């Protein structure tokens, strides 16, 4: 039997204003701050900080009223996208505690800490640690731990003193909570419930379910069930957990490149040892760095073949580490192998490029391509049967074996360079079906000395309707040789330049 | 007893038997050694271009950088594809700039550069293209690398100074592959350390005939390390034989 899951919820009651104060450190601390948003024609407060709350301001008040109550009030417009971005950043930050960290929009986080708490000395200690760090980063925070995500979220919002509720007792714990913060219902429904004298969650839990559903909607029942631990909604983590990883916390934050390199070396050795033990190789590895101020930075590399050689991975990271901005230093770094593939015995499986038998050379080549892929586009094109030139090649995975060339694939009139998009060109032909006699190219007229064609290429019927193209090879007086086609109805045919012939 | 006669230094004149030709050859060999052309240690033969061009060493040296100035992109790409196909191994074709004109495997295969050996790279930035070229040349598993600038781009933004070309040359020496620079033709090409510099232009084949005929180029060797410049020659691509043929000199004189 699996252990019951445990969830940690963090609620940031003044998230929007805390974010503003972090972004604008010179805002005076002793002046109330509020954020407003337009709702139709009205401007309402959407968030207030503690000082503004103490002055009697509440979210939902009209802006004019608020200014009358607190004349020195600082006001800022709301920025929901900015809030969401920062919340996602915090969820990434919270991956230091567990790989399963999710948003609890608009102002909370939910962490699945099943099996993670012993690293921190218990659930209460983990909760205290997380709260402490967020508080130091400038956020007011409350938290709770419970056996269901919604329960933890409600306890964090409504209970206030960081409770750790045992699994299986959700209903008793949420019972005394008041409905408004625990269920997060919309104001109209709240008013209705209040009018009926229903103040706590326990009041609602006591009522017969069919009546509740009929009168207030199924949504309310769903929320109640989630709260009481009767119904488990899966957590949607900001990032799916990595296949394998290695991490290290630092007592002293590191800033210098030398220190980062040394740490990366140790992490790579650990990760590669784990990969070897698992018989896998990494295709994508991400270095995550937690900065002292709570920002999380990522550096990702991808490889063409599964890899677990620390030296090679180090080489791939070398150029990319410049992107890290240590600021005041990193306090934790982790390597995650986000994509892995089975890999046997330390050998590279794909040796297909150029039909090489030489394993060492194939390895060198695979490593080279991995390095190149970090900065430039690398591709291979495989022959394919297709009528039109654009369709006679197909992209091939870098290290896959090349299929045989179909018979007739190499045509004697194939251009060596192809225009990615055919380009209109002005052409004079004596008769509509004749090859060109004169064309205007690069702003100059060019008489055509020789021409060959037309060769008609029909569109592939299974791709839907299209227009046939009549291809011509022409040699200009200057010696240049071009590949043109004519397409369209006879009365309105257009000439297009499509390639350069040798 | 008198001591045996000490061996005396040879007189300060050329010993008889060493004629001027031999001396010149010895000097050339020494210069070549100094220039590093002898650092071929990879044991691979030079890449043949065409019979009767009088290349030093009999072809294009591997482990070196070569420059091709092409009047038209088509003929330059075809000539380069022929050389790279003869390099016999994995080839990286680096295109710089916007992706308007791309190397086309079915056409390159006509000149012996098969898709199985070809890897196409596209670098939006010129500096990235140079970096990719250097990295690729340094890899011993790569037989050849070609760098082609954006044909319609600004030549000043895609310049290759002496330092850059020296870096590429050193990378080629380290890796052992051949490096080709395919650039639009210019009147006064800037100096570079490339082992050879070619100029190629498409030409209309002499004589009347049906159809477009075989590709015909005017080829000129502007400079080569350890040898003399040569040409211009008129050459024709013979698809059946898979090689270029040089026209007889009489025909060349006529067409010139």
């Amino acid at each position: 039997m699996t252990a019951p899951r445990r969830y940690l919820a963090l609620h940031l009651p003044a998230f929007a204003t805390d974010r503003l104060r972090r972004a604008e450190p010179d805002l005076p601390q002793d002046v109330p701050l509020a954020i407003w948003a337009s709702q139709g024609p009205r401007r309402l407060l959407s968030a207030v900080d503690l000082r503004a709350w103490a002055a009697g301001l509440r979210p939902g008040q009209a802006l004019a009223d608020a200014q009358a109550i607190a004349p020195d009030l600082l006001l800022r417009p709301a920025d929901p996208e900015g809030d969401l971005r920062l919340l996602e950043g915090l969820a990434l930050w919270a991956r230091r505690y567990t790989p399963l960290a999710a948003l609890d929009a608009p102002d909370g986080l939910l962490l699945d800490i099943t099996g993670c708490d012993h690293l921190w000395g218990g659930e209460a200690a983990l909760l205290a640690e997380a709260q402490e760090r967020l508080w130091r980063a400038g956020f007011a925070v409350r938290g709770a731990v419970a056996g269901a995500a919604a329960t933890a979220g409600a306890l964090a919002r409504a209970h206030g003193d960081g409770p750790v509720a045992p699994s299986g007792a959700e209903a008793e714990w949420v019972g005394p909570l008041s409905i408004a913060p625990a269920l997060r219902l919309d104001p109209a429904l709240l008013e209705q419930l209040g009018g009926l004298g229903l103040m706590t969650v326990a009041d609602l839990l006591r009522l017969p379910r069919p009546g509740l559903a009929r009168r207030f909607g199924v949504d309310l029942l769903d929320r109640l069930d989630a709260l009481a631990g009767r119904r488990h909604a899966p957590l949607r983590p900001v990032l799916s957990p990595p296949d394998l990883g290695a991490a290290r916390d630092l007592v002293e934050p590191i800033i210098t490149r030398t220190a980062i390199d040394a740490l990366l070396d140790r992490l790579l050795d650990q990760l590669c040892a784990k990969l070897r033990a698992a018989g896998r190789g990494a295709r994508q590895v991400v270095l995550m760095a937690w900065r002292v101020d709570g920002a999380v930075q990522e550096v990702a590399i991808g490889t063409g073949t599964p890899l677990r050689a620390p030296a090679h991975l180090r080489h791939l990271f070398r150029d990319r580490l410049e992107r890290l901005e240590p600021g005041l230093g990193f306090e934790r770094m982790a390597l995650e192998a986000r994509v892995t593939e089975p890999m046997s015995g330390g050998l590279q499986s794909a040796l297909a490029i150029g039909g090489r038998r030489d394993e060492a050379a194939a390895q060198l080549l695979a490593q080279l391509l991995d390095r190149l892929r970090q900065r430039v586009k690398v591709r291979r094109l495989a022959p394919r049967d297709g009528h039109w030139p654009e369709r006679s090649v197909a992209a091939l995975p870098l290290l896959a074996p090349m299929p045989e060339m179909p018979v007739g694939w190499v045509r004697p009139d194939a251009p060596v360079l192809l225009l990615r998009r055919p380009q209109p060109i002005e052409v004079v032909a004596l008769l509509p079906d004749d090859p060109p006699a004169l064309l205007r190219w690069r702003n100059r007229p060019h008489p055509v000395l020789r021409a060959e064609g037309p060769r008609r290429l029909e569109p592939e019927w299974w791709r839907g309707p299209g227009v046939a193209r009549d291809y011509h090879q022409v040699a200009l007086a200057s010696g240049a040789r071009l590949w043109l086609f004519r397409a369209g109805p006879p009365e309105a045919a257009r000439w297009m330049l499509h390639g350069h012939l040798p | 007893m008198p001591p045996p006669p000490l061996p005396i230094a040879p007189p300060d004149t050329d010993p008889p038997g060493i004629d001027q030709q031999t001396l010149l050859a010895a000097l050339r060999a020494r210069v070549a050694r100094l220039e590093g052309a002898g650092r071929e240690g990879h044991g691979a033969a030079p890449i043949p271009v065409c019979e009767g061009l009088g290349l030093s060493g009999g072809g294009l040296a591997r482990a070196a950088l070569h420059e091709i100035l092409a009047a038209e992109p088509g003929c330059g790409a075809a000539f380069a594809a022929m050389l790279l196909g003869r390099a016999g191994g994995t080839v990286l074709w680096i295109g710089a700039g916007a992706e308007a004109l791309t190397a086309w495997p079915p056409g390159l295969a006509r000149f012996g550069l098969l898709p199985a050996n070809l890897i196409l790279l596209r670098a939006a930035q010129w500096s990235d293209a140079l970096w990719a070229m250097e990295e690729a040349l340094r890899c011993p598993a790569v037989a050849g690398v070609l760098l082609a600038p954006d044909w319609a781009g600004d030549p000043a933004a895609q310049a290759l100074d002496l330092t850059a070309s020296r870096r590429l040359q050193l990378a080629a020496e380290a890796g052992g592959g051949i490096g080709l620079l395919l650039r639009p033709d210019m009147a006064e090409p800037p100096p570079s350390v490339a082992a050879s510099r070619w100029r190629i232009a498409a030409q209309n084949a002499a004589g009347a005939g049906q159809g477009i005929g075989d590709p015909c180029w005017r080829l000129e060797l502007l400079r080569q390390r350890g040898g003399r410049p040569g040409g211009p020659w008129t050459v024709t691509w013979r698809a059946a034989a898979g090689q270029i043929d040089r026209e007889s000199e009489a025909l060349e004189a006529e067409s010139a």
Side-chain angles (χ1 to χ4, degrees), chain B residues 43-165:
Chain B
I47 295 168
V49 181
C50 176
E51 294 284 320
L53 297 192
L55 295 176
S56 73
L60 292 189
R62 290 171 196 260
L65 192 65
H66 302 271
E67 239 178 304
I68 301 170
L69 304 172
E72 294 297 336
C75 58
F79 183 58
M82 182 192 85
L83 297 174
L84 291 171
R86 289 174 182 180
T90 306
V91 166
L92 272 66
W93 188 293
I94 306 170
E99 205 170 3
L101 206 59
T102 55
W104 191 238
L108 299 178
R110 287 166 65 190
F111 293 87
L113 183 54
L114 300 179
N117 288 335
L118 182 63
I119 299 169
L120 299 174
L121 277 71
R122 172 63 54 178
Q125 306 284 324
W126 180 242
S127 55
D128 283 347
L130 288 176
W131 167 81
M133 173 105 178
E134 189 185 346
E135 289 281 316
L137 278 174
R138 218 171 266 290
C139 178
V142 170
V145 187
L146 176 134
L147 173 60
D150 186 1
W151 217 262
D154 175 18
Q158 309 183 62
L160 188 76
D161 61 9
L162 211 52
T163 316
S165 71

Side-chain angles (χ1 to χ4, degrees), chain A residues 382-395 457-467 469:
Chain A
R384 181 169 81 173
D385 258 329
H387 295 183
W388 278 2
E390 297 95 316
R391 290 173 189 156
S392 60
V393 295
L457 296 183
E458 295 280 351
E460 289 146 357
W461 58 264
W462 58 93
R463 286 177 184 275
V467 182
R469 298 171 175 179

